[in-house]
Amino acid sequence: MQDILNKKTLKDVDLQHERVIGRVDFNVPIKDGQVVDSKRIVAAIPTIEYLIENKCKIILLSHLSRIKSIDDIKSGKKSLEPVADVLQELLPQAKVEFCPESRGQAVVDAVEKLGEREVLLLENTRYNDVNEKGEVVKLESKCDETLGKEWASLASIFVNDAFGTAHRKHASNVGIAKHIPISCIGFLIQSEIENLSKITNNPSKPVVAILGGAKVSDKLKVINNLLNISDKVLICGGMAYTFLKSQGIDIGTSLVEEEMVDEAKKILEHGKNKILLSQDFQCAPEFADVVPTYRTVEQGLNGLMGLDIGEKTIATFKEALTNAGTVFWNGPAGVFEFKNFQNGTKGVCQILKDLTHNGAFTLIGGGDSASAAVSLGFKESNFSFISTGGGASLEFIEGSPLPGIDIIQNK
């Protein structure tokens, strides 16, 4: 952990007049050739602006979605071209160019023409995961050495500012950093590390973690690590039903990971004084946005599917969070996309908003929780920090390596 806090940042590197290649996270939703949500692009702007101020020639790399076939490439639906248009709007002081290739002579030529304070966005890095014959070769995703070297040869300095892929070993992060003279992290990754460290490094007590979402298996290590760090761990959302089943409770047709039931039982025994589970539920006969039927743990779900927590659980969670100094939340409390099953997640957001106002450090660990908070009308300023990387933030909290950051040079 100490190593990750000691990485070179933008301000540790002499950037003046240098050619810089940057890995950013422009994996944004695009519909009918238009960017629907530009938050991730906006998050990279401080780093790009700093490079512009330092008179750099800037090459940017990003992936967009998964590329599984040649049709994914030929359709153009996963092209980064619409992102270049948004980037130009956000950077009126710079000229932004888009290159429809991500490697080869066209890229070399475009880089050669690049002037100071100009930005060149290359095509989707994952186009390299499928070759011209349509074979899945995963050159980007499996960190192909030749591809990493090729990108590294385009510049003298590498800036990684894509926290969302920091837990992946790709050619566009690890591959470049391995073969370039100077590497550092951008402002976004720096901010992520500093804020996530407030959960793992001497956090203000009491520490409470709220874990929701679908799967126990996805969060096994993070639960165990949070039990070491936290005073309380509150479990809700789809994953709660696996824990409840391990206690012999009737969960009806609710989401359950049968193969994780025994593991859930062990976790509950290990954290018996710390873990709180959902106690009541808003249910439906099927996965649909219908008027909820209320059930408690004592009643059992009797053939129904639990899709949200009830008022009793919200009140219990609120009590457990009273006077919390630090709160980490990952995973919604219910199916917030359904209007009838938003109340639990909304309740968690409101509790965190009030705690933030009263001086607690509240961190939302990216992914669905962040989307839920914003879609339910809460602002980023209602919380201390919202992480941009769901998987990466969880792996940071669980103490797993983040290859995309670990490879960066230390100060």
Side-chain angles (χ1 to χ4, degrees):
M1 184 57 73
Q2 288 311 312
D3 267 0
I4 209 167
L5 297 171
N6 193 38
K7 294 298 169 186
K8 275 187 184 173
T9 68
L10 284 169
K11 297 198 173 174
D12 297 313
V13 175
D14 182 6
L15 296 159
Q16 285 282 326
H17 309 288
E18 293 287 350
R19 196 189 283 165
V20 175
I21 189 162
R23 177 58 160 98
V24 286
D25 184 2
F26 291 162
N27 184 25
V28 295
I30 293 174
K31 193 175 179 185
D32 300 326
Q34 300 289 316
V35 174
V36 180
D37 181 350
S38 61
K39 275 200 295 293
R40 284 182 173 170
I41 306 171
V42 171
I45 293 299
T47 289
I48 301 167
E49 284 183 332
Y50 187 77
L51 296 172
I52 292 167
E53 285 162 21
N54 277 273
K55 304 181 181 68
C56 296
K57 298 174 180 180
I58 306 148
I59 306 149
L60 296 179
L61 291 173
S62 176
H63 75 286
L64 178 64
S65 188
R66 287 190 174 93
I67 303 296
K68 296 177 180 175
S69 70
I70 197 81
D71 290 339
D72 282 341
I73 298 171
K74 287 183 174 173
S75 71
K77 288 179 182 175
K78 296 183 179 183
S79 169
L80 282 169
E81 191 166 5
V83 172
D85 296 334
V86 175
L87 205 53
Q88 183 64 82
E89 287 169 27
L90 293 168
L91 297 166
Q93 76 278 39
K95 182 181 169 191
V96 176
E97 294 279 357
F98 175 71
C99 179
E101 305 289 335
S102 63
R103 65 185 304 194
Q105 195 56 46
V107 170
V108 173
D109 293 345
V111 168
E112 283 305 315
K113 288 178 193 162
L114 201 57
E116 289 186 353
R117 301 179 194 261
E118 291 183 356
V119 178
L120 175 67
L121 176 63
L122 303 187
E123 185 56 281
N124 190 344
T125 58
R126 286 191 184 163
Y127 276 16
N128 296 287
D129 281 353
V130 175
N131 68 16
E132 289 168 2
K133 295 175 187 169
E135 297 163 336
V136 178
V137 289
K138 298 203 170 183
L139 300 185
E140 157 70 321
S141 301
K142 293 276 179 78
C143 198
D144 179 73
E145 191 88 0
T146 305
L147 183 58
K149 274 184 186 171
E150 187 175 331
W151 280 329
S153 72
L154 299 173
S156 54
I157 297 169
F158 173 58
V159 180
N160 190 4
D161 209 26
F163 186 70
T165 56
H167 59 313
R168 309 277 186 219
K169 185 183 176 184
H170 285 169
S172 63
N173 55 20
V174 172
I176 298 175
K178 206 170 158 186
H179 297 291
I180 204 162
I182 298 166
S183 62
C184 64
I185 55 171
F187 293 134
L188 176 64
I189 285 189
Q190 186 180 351
S191 175
E192 291 276 1
I193 291 170
E194 286 167 358
N195 281 285
L196 285 161
S197 296
K198 290 177 186 175
I199 306 288
T200 56
N201 258 11
N202 301 317
S204 300
K205 295 273 191 178
V207 179
V208 182
I210 308 164
L211 294 173
K215 291 183 174 180
V216 181
S217 52
D218 288 348
K219 294 179 183 172
L220 197 55
K221 282 187 187 172
V222 86
I223 294 168
N224 286 320
N225 208 33
L226 283 168
L227 282 171
N228 297 328
I229 298 167
S230 308
D231 298 284
K232 291 260 183 277
V233 176
L234 318 180
I235 296 177
C236 54
M239 66 190 292
Y241 301 105
T242 301
F243 285 95
L244 292 163
K245 180 159 187 178
S246 79
Q247 301 301 288
I249 290 158
D250 169 20
I251 60 163
T253 59
S254 305
L255 185 70
V256 64
E257 286 182 280
E258 294 290 352
E259 70 282 5
M260 294 302 296
V261 170
D262 289 343
E263 191 63 49
K265 193 170 189 174
K266 285 180 202 164
I267 291 168
L268 288 175
E269 284 164 13
H270 171 56
K272 56 178 174 265
N273 301 319
K274 290 185 176 183
I275 295 175
L276 285 175
L277 297 175
S278 314
Q279 299 168 5
D280 61 342
F281 314 92
Q282 299 292 356
C283 308
E286 58 186 348
F287 188 76
D289 196 2
V290 295
V291 176
T293 303
Y294 180 76
R295 285 283 188 273
T296 64
V297 160
E298 292 77 21
Q299 290 171 316
L301 272 60
N302 193 24
L304 294 169
M305 183 183 287
L307 296 178
D308 196 10
I309 54 173
E311 292 292 345
K312 186 180 174 187
T313 302
I314 296 170
T316 305
F317 282 11
K318 187 172 184 177
E319 191 180 335
L321 285 154
T322 306
N323 302 321
T326 303
V327 183
F328 173 75
W329 173 38
N330 180 277
V335 186
F336 70 92
E337 298 90 345
F338 290 167
K339 276 208 159 63
N340 284 295
F341 299 97
Q342 294 178 339
N343 202 45
T345 304
K346 205 179 273 185
V348 171
C349 287
Q350 188 58 51
I351 295 165
L352 263 60
K353 179 183 173 181
D354 295 342
L355 285 167
T356 312
H357 181 72
N358 291 328
F361 177 74
T362 59
L363 190 147
I364 300 180
D368 288 343
S369 339
S371 310
V374 174
S375 71
L376 295 173
F378 292 86
K379 297 174 185 167
E380 286 196 29
S381 57
N382 294 148
F383 314 99
S384 305
F385 188 74
I386 297 179
S387 175
T388 58
S393 61
L394 281 181
E395 296 207 15
F396 185 102
I397 297 293
E398 72 188 30
S400 294
L402 297 177
I405 299 174
D406 291 344
I407 191 76
I408 298 294
Q409 292 163 350
N410 289 332
K411 289 181 184 177

